[in-house]
Amino acid sequence: PPRSTLFPYTTLFRSPAMKAGLKSKDVIAEIDGQSTHGLAVSEAVKKIRGPEGTDVKLRIIRDKKEDLNFTIKRENITIPS
């Protein structure tokens, strides 16, 4: 379901997001300049995923006070089962 506020971002160990410096309690405010307000998690995931080697830009709110920008190079991720 759509969210009315920002949603938390959980980083996977060794993921491009973790390598870039994102933390598990960071909140994604924008994906490639587009607000995440009201965006369903599944839609956000679609926007973040993309061809390996391309960049995605995330605006992150950390600890409800820091406003940070990250550019993350997409990679293939293997999720342990």
Side-chain angles (χ1 to χ4, degrees), residues 30-34 55-59 70-72 74:
E30 293 180 358
I31 303 167
D32 284 332
Q34 300 294 312
D55 291 338
V56 62
K57 294 179 182 180
L58 303 179
R59 182 174 148 244
F70 291 87
T71 299
I72 300 170
R74 294 175 173 114

Side-chain angles (χ1 to χ4, degrees), residues 1-16:
R3 305 268 181 139
S4 60
T5 59
L6 307 174
F7 59 91
Y9 184 83
T10 302
T11 56
L12 296 171
F13 182 68
R14 295 189 188 176
S15 71

